[in-house]
Amino acid sequence: MKVLSLFANVGFGEFYFKDHGFDVVVANEMLEDRVKFYKELHPNTSKVICGDICKSSTRESIVDECKKYGPIDLVIATPPCQGMSIANALKKSDDIRNRLIVYAMDIFEQVGAKYMLIENVPGMINTYINHDSKAVRIIDFINERLPNNYKCNTKVLNGKHFGTAQSRSRSICLISPNGEWEHPYPSDDILRLKDAIGDQNIFPSLESGETSNIPWHFAGKHNANHINWMKHTPEGETAFGNSVHYPHVIEEGEKRVIRGFKTAYKRMSWNEPAPTVTMMNGSISSQNNVHPGHKLSDGTQSDARVLSVREVLSVCGLPMDCLDKFCSINPDGTFKYHYSPNFIRKVLGELFLPKMALSMVMSIPYQPSDASIDPQLEFDFV
């Protein structure tokens, strides 16, 4: 089955496609650094187009390449959601971000694909875009643009039900003739954070600034105050709950509590899936980012840090060694990384969970002849 990927990011969401009969022949991404990474991660993709889908020249290139490498069976679109609100739709009719789904639907029609998958944040279908000078709900716009006899089946599903140790809810729209493409059944077999990164032989304990002999498993340097607050914060709790070591600043010799959400300065829980990985997954002060740690003999907690990049890969359902080819060993035995860890963290915060994505496409009624995996997928972390 031939696939067109729109808003492709770096291709993490399509990581398992090729091995199961889904061939991404054309992909589009606006940012050059992501396109470069995509080409290295997916060297077999026939054409990766770097360009803004809002420009007619980019859309024409996408359609032309699909004719060359197609015919296209499936279009996947994961447009950014910024700007999608009734306020923005009414007040900022020229906000190009509000036009992304419009252009995606245009391309779907032009390439003549039989199926389309749209993935976004849970509230996407009920948010608004400006179309023909009117505020229109995205789901209503999609339904209006469907070819005759086509139907869009929409559900909000969570990645934790599809073989991934991460709670990540997403709107999933499945477009097909007569609505024949239905969402796969969510599994009740929930993976915990412990299942993904709990083996200390694979993911040794780290403190701020420490490295290991394992690629991409190192701890960045954190603020000394943040480290202190997290050392005194138990697993699953926020530092805002501490009686002494809580987030604060000193003003005129007195402590003043830092205002913030209770999900900030918070440790994860070993026996639950990881919270949603965001683009800010490298910051202790952002949401639900801190390693659960282990209680030490002095009563403090180990691993006062965010997850390492390698740990984030695992909780996103990617092979933990999938980035090993993007680093080399220096003469002193340390690692040289070919891409900035901050860049990797950002694209991981925006990905379509790959095992969730594969579960969706494996439920398409028509399957490639070499697709032999059951839609109720089971995955290993190692």
Side-chain angles (χ1 to χ4, degrees):
M1 181 172 281
K2 293 185 178 180
V3 181
L4 162 65
S5 177
L6 301 175
F7 317 101
N9 195 340
V10 298
F12 279 143
E14 303 143 22
F15 192 87
Y16 299 109
F17 279 17
K18 187 71 174 179
D19 291 339
H20 296 94
F22 296 88
D23 187 12
V24 179
V25 293
V26 181
N28 165 240
E29 168 56 44
M30 184 176 70
L31 301 177
E32 292 183 6
D33 53 356
R34 297 188 182 199
V35 169
K36 179 178 182 294
F37 189 99
Y38 189 108
K39 290 178 178 179
E40 294 186 59
L41 189 67
H42 297 287
N44 294 323
T45 295
S46 302
K47 185 68 175 182
V48 186
I49 298 170
C50 182
D52 184 353
I53 198 173
C54 297
K55 295 181 179 179
S56 59
S57 58
T58 300
R59 298 195 299 277
E60 290 170 3
S61 296
I62 293 171
V63 173
D64 289 344
E65 293 300 328
C66 287
K67 292 177 180 177
K68 185 186 302 184
Y69 296 106
I72 299 299
D73 301 294
L74 167 66
V75 175
I76 295 179
T78 58
C81 62
Q82 296 95 332
M84 293 181 185
S85 72
I86 189 167
N88 278 336
L90 290 171
K91 296 178 181 179
K92 298 183 178 180
S93 60
D94 59 344
D95 189 336
I96 61 174
R97 298 173 301 180
N98 290 335
R99 305 290 297 170
L100 297 178
I101 191 65
V102 176
Y103 297 135
M105 294 303 295
D106 284 344
I107 292 172
F108 170 61
E109 292 176 9
Q110 291 187 58
V111 301
K114 189 174 183 180
Y115 303 104
M116 184 175 189
L117 186 162
I118 304 172
E119 179 264 2
N120 214 292
V121 294
M124 181 268 292
I125 58 173
N126 289 317
T127 55
Y128 287 77
I129 59 172
N130 184 289
H131 186 62
D132 293 336
S133 300
K134 295 180 182 179
V136 182
R137 282 197 319 157
I138 287 178
I139 189 61
D140 295 332
F141 170 79
I142 291 172
N143 285 325
E144 289 172 2
R145 293 293 301 271
L146 294 180
N148 291 337
N149 301 318
Y150 269 66
K151 182 179 178 181
C152 176
N153 291 322
T154 303
K155 282 186 178 181
V156 174
L157 298 173
N158 194 312
K160 69 181 182 181
H161 295 295
F162 297 94
T164 306
Q166 182 184 153
S167 180
R168 191 181 188 92
S169 293
R170 286 296 183 266
S171 286
I172 305 291
C173 298
L174 306 180
I175 295 172
S176 63
N178 302 309
E180 64 183 17
W181 186 9
E182 297 182 350
H183 298 82
Y185 187 77
S187 171
D188 291 329
D189 186 12
I190 306 297
L191 293 169
R192 305 164 301 170
L193 186 61
K194 182 184 294 184
D195 301 317
I197 65 167
D199 189 336
Q200 291 197 60
N201 293 315
I202 300 175
F203 294 103
S205 180
L206 295 171
E207 298 299 339
S208 174
E210 289 186 347
T211 61
S212 74
N213 61 354
I214 303 170
W216 298 100
H217 186 57
F218 62 91
K221 292 184 179 180
H222 293 299
N223 178 284
N225 286 329
H226 295 182
I227 295 169
N228 182 50
W229 300 335
M230 299 319 304
K231 280 184 174 294
H232 293 86
T233 302
E235 173 196 347
E237 300 294 332
T238 172
F240 284 113
N242 296 340
S243 59
V244 177
H245 303 280
Y246 54 84
H248 67 273
V249 293
I250 303 296
E251 291 184 345
E252 297 180 356
E254 295 184 0
K255 286 185 178 181
R256 181 178 65 80
V257 178
I258 295 174
R259 293 182 180 273
F261 294 106
K262 300 306 180 184
T263 52
Y265 302 101
K266 186 177 180 182
R267 286 190 182 269
M268 304 177 192
S269 298
W270 282 119
N271 289 317
E272 297 177 5
T276 301
V277 172
T278 70
M279 291 187 292
M280 296 298 293
N281 64 80
S283 173
I284 282 180
S285 60
S286 190
Q287 299 181 45
N288 297 300
N289 286 338
V290 185
H291 190 284
H294 304 277
K295 192 169 183 178
L296 302 174
S297 58
D298 63 0
T300 62
Q301 202 83 352
S302 72
D303 296 89
R305 61 175 176 87
V306 298
L307 300 187
S308 70
V309 170
R310 197 176 187 88
E311 289 167 330
V312 176
L313 290 172
S314 190
V315 301
C316 286
L318 287 158
M320 63 188 71
D321 61 353
C322 69
L323 295 185
D324 287 6
K325 67 178 181 179
F326 297 111
C327 69
S328 53
I329 301 178
N330 292 316
D332 62 358
T334 60
F335 291 106
K336 177 182 179 180
Y337 295 104
H338 304 168
Y339 284 90
S340 161
N342 288 335
F343 167 79
I344 298 298
R345 287 185 181 278
K346 184 174 182 179
V347 297
L348 285 170
E350 294 184 315
L351 91 171
F352 186 2
L353 291 177
K355 294 176 183 178
M356 188 181 196
L358 183 59
S359 294
M360 297 305 122
V361 300
M362 287 302 303
S363 65
I364 293 177
Y366 161 75
Q367 292 296 327
S369 59
D370 58 348
S372 59
I373 189 169
D374 188 274
Q376 294 300 313
L377 302 168
E378 293 184 1
F379 298 90
D380 294 325
F381 278 99
V382 294

